[in-house]
PDB file of all heavy atoms in Angstrom:
ATOM      1  N   THR A  96     -19.477  -2.238  14.079  1.00 97.00           N
ATOM      2  CA  THR A  96     -18.762  -3.466  14.283  1.00 97.00           C
ATOM      3  C   THR A  96     -17.992  -3.828  13.070  1.00 97.00           C
ATOM      4  O   THR A  96     -18.647  -3.955  11.997  1.00 97.00           O
ATOM      5  CB  THR A  96     -19.677  -4.675  14.633  1.00 97.00           C
ATOM      6  OG1 THR A  96     -20.297  -4.289  15.917  1.00 97.00           O
ATOM      7  CG2 THR A  96     -18.965  -5.973  14.798  1.00 97.00           C
ATOM      8  N   ILE A  97     -16.683  -3.889  13.047  1.00 98.00           N
ATOM      9  CA  ILE A  97     -15.858  -3.999  11.800  1.00 98.00           C
ATOM     10  C   ILE A  97     -15.055  -5.334  11.951  1.00 98.00           C
ATOM     11  O   ILE A  97     -14.322  -5.580  12.887  1.00 98.00           O
ATOM     12  CB  ILE A  97     -14.931  -2.799  11.719  1.00 98.00           C
ATOM     13  CG1 ILE A  97     -15.752  -1.498  11.579  1.00 98.00           C
ATOM     14  CG2 ILE A  97     -14.033  -3.044  10.436  1.00 98.00           C
ATOM     15  CD1 ILE A  97     -14.932  -0.296  11.538  1.00 98.00           C
ATOM     16  N   ASN A 112      -6.336   1.892  15.025  1.00 98.00           N
ATOM     17  CA  ASN A 112      -6.924   3.239  14.921  1.00 98.00           C
ATOM     18  C   ASN A 112      -8.461   3.171  14.902  1.00 98.00           C
ATOM     19  O   ASN A 112      -9.127   4.071  15.400  1.00 98.00           O
ATOM     20  CB  ASN A 112      -6.398   3.931  13.668  1.00 98.00           C
ATOM     21  CG  ASN A 112      -4.962   4.487  13.828  1.00 98.00           C
ATOM     22  OD1 ASN A 112      -4.668   4.892  14.952  1.00 98.00           O
ATOM     23  ND2 ASN A 112      -4.198   4.497  12.873  1.00 98.00           N
ATOM     24  N   THR A 139     -11.523  -8.138  19.216  1.00 98.00           N
ATOM     25  CA  THR A 139     -11.986  -9.540  19.679  1.00 98.00           C
ATOM     26  C   THR A 139     -11.383 -10.516  18.618  1.00 98.00           C
ATOM     27  O   THR A 139     -11.476 -10.309  17.391  1.00 98.00           O
ATOM     28  CB  THR A 139     -13.484  -9.674  19.615  1.00 98.00           C
ATOM     29  OG1 THR A 139     -13.972  -8.604  20.349  1.00 98.00           O
ATOM     30  CG2 THR A 139     -13.951 -11.018  20.166  1.00 98.00           C
ATOM     31  N   LYS A 149     -19.555 -12.412  10.336  1.00 96.00           N
ATOM     32  CA  LYS A 149     -20.985 -12.672  10.631  1.00 96.00           C
ATOM     33  C   LYS A 149     -21.478 -11.488  11.477  1.00 96.00           C
ATOM     34  O   LYS A 149     -20.983 -11.079  12.416  1.00 96.00           O
ATOM     35  CB  LYS A 149     -21.112 -13.888  11.489  1.00 96.00           C
ATOM     36  CG  LYS A 149     -22.250 -14.833  11.149  1.00 96.00           C
ATOM     37  CD  LYS A 149     -22.177 -16.172  11.961  1.00 96.00           C
ATOM     38  CE  LYS A 149     -21.256 -17.146  11.178  1.00 96.00           C
ATOM     39  NZ  LYS A 149     -21.017 -18.282  11.924  1.00 96.00           N
ATOM     40  N   VAL A 164      -6.800 -12.387  -1.703  1.00 98.00           N
ATOM     41  CA  VAL A 164      -8.077 -11.598  -1.597  1.00 98.00           C
ATOM     42  C   VAL A 164      -9.119 -12.530  -2.351  1.00 98.00           C
ATOM     43  O   VAL A 164     -10.227 -12.612  -1.895  1.00 98.00           O
ATOM     44  CB  VAL A 164      -7.894 -10.232  -2.288  1.00 98.00           C
ATOM     45  CG1 VAL A 164      -9.160  -9.520  -2.538  1.00 98.00           C
ATOM     46  CG2 VAL A 164      -6.922  -9.376  -1.466  1.00 98.00           C
ATOM     47  N   ARG A 196     -11.272  -6.496 -10.079  1.00 96.00           N
ATOM     48  CA  ARG A 196     -12.392  -6.487 -10.841  1.00 96.00           C
ATOM     49  C   ARG A 196     -13.371  -7.752 -10.587  1.00 96.00           C
ATOM     50  O   ARG A 196     -14.484  -7.702 -10.584  1.00 96.00           O
ATOM     51  CB  ARG A 196     -12.167  -6.260 -12.243  1.00 96.00           C
ATOM     52  CG  ARG A 196     -11.614  -4.831 -12.554  1.00 96.00           C
ATOM     53  CD  ARG A 196     -11.474  -4.446 -13.949  1.00 96.00           C
ATOM     54  NE  ARG A 196     -11.020  -3.147 -14.091  1.00 96.00           N
ATOM     55  CZ  ARG A 196     -10.391  -2.762 -15.117  1.00 96.00           C
ATOM     56  NH1 ARG A 196      -9.889  -3.515 -16.078  1.00 96.00           N
ATOM     57  NH2 ARG A 196      -9.967  -1.450 -15.128  1.00 96.00           N
ATOM     58  N   ILE A 243     -15.436   5.889   7.545  1.00 98.00           N
ATOM     59  CA  ILE A 243     -14.680   4.794   8.163  1.00 98.00           C
ATOM     60  C   ILE A 243     -13.178   4.991   7.739  1.00 98.00           C
ATOM     61  O   ILE A 243     -12.340   4.908   8.754  1.00 98.00           O
ATOM     62  CB  ILE A 243     -15.147   3.456   7.812  1.00 98.00           C
ATOM     63  CG1 ILE A 243     -16.580   3.239   8.213  1.00 98.00           C
ATOM     64  CG2 ILE A 243     -14.328   2.371   8.230  1.00 98.00           C
ATOM     65  CD1 ILE A 243     -17.507   2.491   7.449  1.00 98.00           C
ATOM     66  N   ILE A 251      -8.731  10.782   1.321  1.00 98.00           N
ATOM     67  CA  ILE A 251      -9.637   9.745   0.853  1.00 98.00           C
ATOM     68  C   ILE A 251     -10.096  10.192  -0.514  1.00 98.00           C
ATOM     69  O   ILE A 251     -10.840  11.167  -0.620  1.00 98.00           O
ATOM     70  CB  ILE A 251     -10.757   9.470   1.765  1.00 98.00           C
ATOM     71  CG1 ILE A 251     -10.365   9.718   3.201  1.00 98.00           C
ATOM     72  CG2 ILE A 251     -11.388   8.079   1.504  1.00 98.00           C
ATOM     73  CD1 ILE A 251      -9.493   8.753   3.872  1.00 98.00           C
ATOM     74  N   ALA A 262      -5.738   0.828  -9.927  1.00 97.00           N
ATOM     75  CA  ALA A 262      -5.059   1.454 -11.114  1.00 97.00           C
ATOM     76  C   ALA A 262      -4.266   2.745 -10.702  1.00 97.00           C
ATOM     77  O   ALA A 262      -3.087   2.858 -11.164  1.00 97.00           O
ATOM     78  CB  ALA A 262      -6.121   1.841 -12.194  1.00 97.00           C
ATOM     79  N   ILE A 276      14.754   6.678  -9.382  1.00 98.00           N
ATOM     80  CA  ILE A 276      15.953   6.280 -10.121  1.00 98.00           C
ATOM     81  C   ILE A 276      16.658   7.423 -10.737  1.00 98.00           C
ATOM     82  O   ILE A 276      17.829   7.606 -10.734  1.00 98.00           O
ATOM     83  CB  ILE A 276      15.583   5.165 -11.176  1.00 98.00           C
ATOM     84  CG1 ILE A 276      15.166   3.899 -10.390  1.00 98.00           C
ATOM     85  CG2 ILE A 276      16.715   4.917 -12.192  1.00 98.00           C
ATOM     86  CD1 ILE A 276      14.582   2.773 -11.303  1.00 98.00           C
ATOM     87  N   LEU A 284      25.811  11.085 -10.694  1.00 98.00           N
ATOM     88  CA  LEU A 284      26.556  11.815 -11.720  1.00 98.00           C
ATOM     89  C   LEU A 284      27.287  13.081 -11.138  1.00 98.00           C
ATOM     90  O   LEU A 284      28.357  13.314 -11.290  1.00 98.00           O
ATOM     91  CB  LEU A 284      25.610  12.293 -12.884  1.00 98.00           C
ATOM     92  CG  LEU A 284      26.275  13.195 -13.932  1.00 98.00           C
ATOM     93  CD1 LEU A 284      27.473  12.572 -14.670  1.00 98.00           C
ATOM     94  CD2 LEU A 284      25.195  13.569 -15.079  1.00 98.00           C
ATOM     95  N   THR A 311      11.389  15.320  -0.449  1.00 94.00           N
ATOM     96  CA  THR A 311      10.892  14.674   0.634  1.00 94.00           C
ATOM     97  C   THR A 311      11.694  13.465   1.011  1.00 94.00           C
ATOM     98  O   THR A 311      11.635  12.979   2.181  1.00 94.00           O
ATOM     99  CB  THR A 311       9.308  14.366   0.383  1.00 94.00           C
ATOM    100  OG1 THR A 311       8.699  15.445  -0.031  1.00 94.00           O
ATOM    101  CG2 THR A 311       8.745  13.786   1.597  1.00 94.00           C
ATOM    102  N   PRO A 314      17.651  10.705  -1.722  1.00 98.00           N
ATOM    103  CA  PRO A 314      18.386   9.399  -1.573  1.00 98.00           C
ATOM    104  C   PRO A 314      19.757   9.592  -1.176  1.00 98.00           C
ATOM    105  O   PRO A 314      20.478   8.518  -0.997  1.00 98.00           O
ATOM    106  CB  PRO A 314      18.288   8.841  -3.021  1.00 98.00           C
ATOM    107  CG  PRO A 314      18.117  10.022  -3.960  1.00 98.00           C
ATOM    108  CD  PRO A 314      17.445  11.118  -3.112  1.00 98.00           C
ATOM    109  N   GLY A 317      21.716  13.872   4.500  1.00 98.00           N
ATOM    110  CA  GLY A 317      22.002  15.315   4.742  1.00 98.00           C
ATOM    111  C   GLY A 317      20.899  16.223   4.391  1.00 98.00           C
ATOM    112  O   GLY A 317      20.253  16.665   5.300  1.00 98.00           O
ATOM    113  N   LEU A 338       8.982  -3.488  -5.781  1.00 98.00           N
ATOM    114  CA  LEU A 338       8.973  -4.392  -6.930  1.00 98.00           C
ATOM    115  C   LEU A 338       7.741  -5.002  -7.189  1.00 98.00           C
ATOM    116  O   LEU A 338       7.311  -5.254  -8.372  1.00 98.00           O
ATOM    117  CB  LEU A 338      10.124  -5.481  -6.633  1.00 98.00           C
ATOM    118  CG  LEU A 338      10.419  -6.439  -7.792  1.00 98.00           C
ATOM    119  CD1 LEU A 338      10.755  -5.858  -9.059  1.00 98.00           C
ATOM    120  CD2 LEU A 338      11.544  -7.542  -7.262  1.00 98.00           C
ATOM    121  N   ALA A 348      -0.044  -2.821 -17.666  1.00 97.00           N
ATOM    122  CA  ALA A 348       0.305  -2.247 -18.965  1.00 97.00           C
ATOM    123  C   ALA A 348       0.181  -3.183 -20.026  1.00 97.00           C
ATOM    124  O   ALA A 348      -0.294  -2.874 -21.160  1.00 97.00           O
ATOM    125  CB  ALA A 348       1.651  -1.645 -18.820  1.00 97.00           C
TER     126      ALA A 348
END
Side-chain angles (χ1 to χ4, degrees):
T96 298
I97 300 179
N112 281 327
T139 310
K149 222 173 274 168
V164 175
R196 289 187 178 149
I243 294 146
I251 326 293
I276 290 168
L284 174 62
T311 304
L338 183 57

